[in-house]
């Protein structure tokens, strides 16, 4: 995240999506009038109609996600000012090269990162599905394999502990 990116908006949108799980279309449409304070008086969330499913969703936002949002005077103005999709993807790829990341990265991978992160930190698969607004478990099970690999890796760290 410390690597420089020529397009700071694309970088912030990518990181935001890593912590919120929204699709690019929903990130483009995000405005401050869609950000609300929950009844607990602490948690902020996005209430929006998802572009792909046309369903109303409430997206809880972590502090990390909130840190990515740009302040705007007009609550109807998009929070992120992003170029067209091919340009955003190009900017993300250049940023990844600057960070010496060899893997081919697309903006949508940030959504996949959210999925993987939730499973890796121990969030159960069904809650993760709800956070991602997916209809079924199939896609998320792909990331569950990663979670299982991490569990094996963690357990193997104690091998030969007393040798």
């Amino acid at each position: 995240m410390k690597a420089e990116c020529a397009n700071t908006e694309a970088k912030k949108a990518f990181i935001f999506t890593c912590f919120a799980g929204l699709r690019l279309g929903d990130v483009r449409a995000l405005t401050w009038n869609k950000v609300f304070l929950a009844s607990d008086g602490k948690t902020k969330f996005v209430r929006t109609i998802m572009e792909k499913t046309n369903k109303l969703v409430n997206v809880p936002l972590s502090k990390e996600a909130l840190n990515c949002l740009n302040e705007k005077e007009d609550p109807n103005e998009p929070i992120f000012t992003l170029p067209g999709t091919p340009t955003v993807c190009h900017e993300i790829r250049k940023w990844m090269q600057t960070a010496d990341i060899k893997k081919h990265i697309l903006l949508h991978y940030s959504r996949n990162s959210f999925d993987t992160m939730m499973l890796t930190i121990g969030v159960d698969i069904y809650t993760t599905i709800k956070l991602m607004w997916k209809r079924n478990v199939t896609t998320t099970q792909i990331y569950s394999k990663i979670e299982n690999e991490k569990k094996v890796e963690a357990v193997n760290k104690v091998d030969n502990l007393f040798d």
Side-chain angles (χ1 to χ4, degrees):
M1 290 198 304
K2 291 181 181 180
E4 293 295 320
C5 180
N7 187 323
T8 57
E9 290 286 296
K11 180 179 179 177
K12 281 184 170 184
F14 185 91
I15 295 169
F16 174 77
T17 303
C18 286
F19 288 105
L22 290 173
R23 293 178 182 90
L24 177 58
D26 299 311
V27 171
R28 281 186 196 284
L30 184 60
T31 59
W32 279 105
N33 66 3
K34 294 178 181 177
V35 178
F36 295 91
L37 190 60
S39 58
D40 67 7
K42 299 175 189 173
T43 308
K44 287 192 177 179
F45 63 93
V46 171
R47 174 176 279 156
T48 190
I49 296 176
M50 293 198 82
E51 181 181 80
K52 183 176 180 178
T53 63
N54 209 28
K55 291 188 178 202
L56 179 66
V57 296
N58 292 312
V59 182
L61 298 176
S62 67
K63 288 178 187 174
E64 294 294 337
L66 287 167
N67 288 339
C68 297
L69 301 181
N70 301 316
E71 293 292 332
K72 300 287 182 170
E73 284 187 32
D74 180 358
N76 296 309
E77 183 182 349
I79 291 175
F80 297 102
T81 306
L82 297 169
T85 302
T87 304
V88 170
C89 290
H90 179 72
E91 295 295 334
I92 296 297
R93 280 194 295 274
K94 286 190 337 190
W95 174 41
M96 294 298 141
Q97 288 172 348
T98 302
D100 204 30
I101 295 171
K102 306 287 188 237
K103 184 176 179 177
H104 179 73
I105 301 289
L106 302 172
L107 186 64
H108 190 76
Y109 289 5
S110 57
R111 182 169 154 81
N112 299 346
S113 294
F114 176 79
D115 207 343
T116 303
M117 178 177 58
M118 290 294 106
L119 293 168
T120 301
I121 64 173
V123 176
D124 66 90
I125 196 165
Y126 297 103
T127 302
T128 300
I129 290 167
K130 294 295 183 188
L131 286 168
M132 299 292 292
W133 314 279
K134 293 181 179 177
R135 291 186 199 136
N136 61 52
V137 72
T138 309
T139 308
T140 303
Q141 285 176 323
I142 294 166
Y143 304 107
S144 182
K145 178 183 178 228
I146 294 168
E147 175 196 16
N148 288 334
E149 289 171 2
K150 291 290 186 186
K151 287 178 182 178
V152 170
E153 183 181 311
V155 169
N156 288 339
K157 288 183 179 184
V158 300
D159 287 352
N160 305 319
L161 190 63
F162 298 108
D163 288 347

